[in-house]
Amino acid sequence: MMNYLVLLLFVLGVSPVHGLVYSFPDCANGPLKNNTVCDTTKDPATRARAVVSLFTVEELMANTVNLSPGVPRLGLPSYQWWSEALHGVALSPGVTFAASGNFSFATSFPQPIILGAAFDDPLIKAVATIISTEARAFNNFGRAGIDFFTPNINPFKDPRWGRGQETPGEDPFHISQYVLNLIDGLQGGIDPKPYFKIIADCKHYAAYDLENWEGNIRNSFDAKVTLQDLSEYYLPPFQSCVRDAKVASVMCSYNAVNGVPSCANSYLLQTILRDFWGFDDDRWVTSDCDAVDDIFNSHHFTSTFPEAVADALKAGTDVDCGTAYSEHLPDAFNQSLITRDDLEKALIRQYTSLVRLGYFDPADVQPYRQLDWSDINTPEAQALAHKAAVEGIVLLKNDGLLPLKKSVKKVAVVGPVANSTTLLQGNYFGVAPFIVSPFQGATDAGFETTLVPGLSTVRDTSAAGFPAAIAAAQAADVVVFAGGLDEVVEREGTDRTTLVWPGAQLDLLTALQDVGKPLIVVQFGGGQADSTALKGSSKVNAIIWAGYPGQSGGTALFDIISGKTSPSGRLPITQYPAEYADQVAMTDMTVQPSDTNPGRTYKWYQNAPVYEFGHGLHFTTFSASWAGTPPAQYNIAQLLRAAPKGRPLDLAPFDSFNINIHNTGKVTSDYVALLFVNGTAGPAPHPNKQLVSYSRVHQIRAGSVGRTTLSVTLGSLARADETGSLWIHSGSYQLNVDTGPALLTHRFTLIGASTQITQFPRNPSA
């Protein structure tokens, strides 16, 4: 989404806002004081229409872009719609950090890929609540907007995607639950009244997961997607965000979907988004930045620019993140391609949302307007950032070395990420109050530490630093290698072409193995690199995936290594062997296997992964039992009759399964209960399995039992047909708790006629 000029400014530490300071309209003494927009007894839409009706056509067109000039004659100040807060208030055109002192930093939580690995929905809501509190505090002092272009909820189906780190993972059900809780925390509730806390923005709608792969560019890519995959894989997170969480904004993506650019796609923006999911007129759609420009320039969808902006506006893109609207809507208007009503519709949606944010209301009646610097980086925020990192870090391999014995004193921290700080934030980050590197984490944990990176970056191919690293390893009791991926290998605008560890990292690891000292490998980065050789080597004692763990990353890492806490994160993505990159093109949007596709994600991949989705080890052992034997048979008709009236059938309960988790080892630990279902019901091919529920059980003491309830809906059990409609199929199924050898299984049968529970909307223009 960010253009490269903005990214360069960020790297140089320069804010691209050019002095923009946010202010609020004066409803007490300003020009609008007698206008209905200032009447707090009226509903938001009525108030918005009252002020928008005063705009001239020229003012309407000028205010359709992200850097809205406002209307000075009406006392409406300039407003920047584009602020960022992916995992904390972030550098962006709408956010400015002070050079020092108040508002010079904000809490930097782990990237969403690590938050997703925690499989802890209450944690996600708590993180989002702190982010929105800090965002409001920044806004109250003129340093941020109240609209934030977050979260990224495109499923991370291809490990090469440069922006997968921004997402919670590959599974649409998991992402749907994540985003439901995230939006709840960001916006201050589900469709809160009277005020939104901030407005979130679910992006990128839709079927967007390609940046630049072998010359295929996101700005011109046409994603060919079947209705089945659209309904079953690409859209469920957006349905959850829009229909269930009531997000106030959605971003249309750069790519086209089945021949029509997303930001000009009335099937996506009107038929599905507004008509099917109920995205009402108090909510708005923004383009990704310069995506409206791409309709003409990159997709060549229209023959002129005025036609492109008219198509986007009439399809339902209300805000152009860019300048195409302000530059070309006048020509579109003069050519009668759009009307004043089209413009007013977009502006009323914008201003209705601003009314719901309290933009026009007195500060003393709004609790969010009282937030200030004292609400940023509080002890509670710091503790939560640390907790989130601990919960999301995943132990992939352990031969018994971890946790380290107290006799271990000397630790050599080696590798290109050994002393990294900013890298641990990933992308879309802000200025953190502090960042603990792996080396600092080891030192703070009390070890006698030696720092020898051996490689300057993860991409370094030189062996010049190897001798020093080997010497450090020889003098240590234990070696911790910190490497993996970084923001050059995987980033916005760039996809990977290989799944091999970058640079000479594996060569350095081979040399370290030959030293013969206990070796822990820590992989950072959002995507996975093929660790087959490391997994199979008896000289690699442990492998940890740490993603981008945020400000307390080094502390959290060594809390686990030292045994201060027990690991319990689970991989939210599949780790594929390197040959996967040669088996399927990134441009292939299908998820089911074919002659040219081994299948995508754990649901459909036909070969053996290196590490599977949901994999994660502990320092203890667990067993599980049902708290009451589940039924062996369910009647489809009875399930449908029992469904709550007035709610979508896909949200109707199927059953709730109560389970006991027994800690049979010697270490207190969390446990993530993952409930999968598989079976032969319905048409072939059948998925390997699919996640239908999950829950994180906290701090189960050694020898004790934790209890949790895994609730399953009809929608999570359903499958989409070729038209995209969901069906509950009669037949045989099996429930499995956990990955690999399941801790607990149960077979059941659905009897009666297979039944359709949703009707996916047809494309009127198809």
Side-chain angles (χ1 to χ4, degrees), residues 151 202 209 272 316-317 327 411 455 468 498 626 666 710 714:
C202 283
D209 58 7
I272 297 177
T317 300
E327 292 175 1
V411 173
L455 294 166
T498 176
W626 301 109
K666 299 179 180 180
L710 298 170
L714 293 181

Side-chain angles (χ1 to χ4, degrees), residues 570 659 661 671-675 693-697 708 710 737:
R570 303 297 192 103
I659 62 172
I661 304 297
Y671 176 80
V672 172
L674 302 174
L675 183 65
S693 190
Y694 61 86
S695 173
R696 189 180 187 106
V697 189
T708 191
L710 298 170
V737 176

Side-chain angles (χ1 to χ4, degrees), residues 127-253:
V127 167
T129 298
I130 287 178
I131 291 172
S132 58
T133 292
E134 297 192 356
R136 265 289 185 162
F138 267 72
N139 173 257
N140 289 338
F141 288 80
R143 292 190 169 275
I146 336 177
D147 299 276
F148 289 81
F149 288 1
T150 189
N152 181 343
I153 57 170
N154 299 108
F156 189 5
K157 82 168 190 304
D158 194 298
R160 293 164 286 188
W161 185 30
R163 299 185 71 178
Q165 59 175 288
E166 301 173 31
T167 78
E170 70 180 33
D171 182 73
F173 171 77
H174 175 216
I175 304 171
S176 297
Q177 303 310 301
Y178 173 100
V179 73
L180 181 66
N181 287 274
L182 188 85
I183 300 304
D184 192 353
L186 290 176
Q187 296 192 163
I190 304 297
D191 204 20
K193 294 179 175 61
Y195 299 116
F196 281 115
K197 192 176 183 185
I198 64 170
I199 277 177
D201 177 82
C202 283
K203 62 187 187 185
H204 312 80
Y205 184 65
Y208 167 64
D209 58 7
L210 179 147
E211 302 298 303
N212 181 351
W213 179 78
E214 296 190 354
N216 296 278
I217 310 298
R218 62 182 179 172
N219 307 76
S220 57
F221 177 58
D222 181 16
K224 301 294 187 183
V225 189
T226 67
L227 290 178
Q228 184 176 37
D229 285 344
L230 198 64
S231 169
E232 194 170 77
Y233 189 75
Y234 293 102
L235 293 191
F238 289 94
Q239 175 174 272
S240 177
C241 187
V242 171
R243 186 193 67 183
D244 305 332
K246 307 295 184 185
V247 76
S249 175
V250 166
M251 177 184 287
C252 52
S253 55

Side-chain angles (χ1 to χ4, degrees), residues 508-528:
L508 177 54
L509 279 166
T510 297
L512 292 171
Q513 291 176 64
D514 290 341
V515 172
K517 293 297 180 74
L519 175 61
I520 303 164
V521 176
V522 184
Q523 184 208 322
F524 291 89
Q528 294 289 306

Side-chain angles (χ1 to χ4, degrees), residues 736-761:
N736 304 282
V737 176
D738 217 327
T739 59
L743 289 189
L744 195 59
T745 64
H746 175 70
R747 293 185 180 276
F748 67 90
T749 303
L750 285 181
I751 64 170
S754 297
T755 304
Q756 182 177 329
I757 62 169
T758 68
Q759 177 67 55
F760 195 70

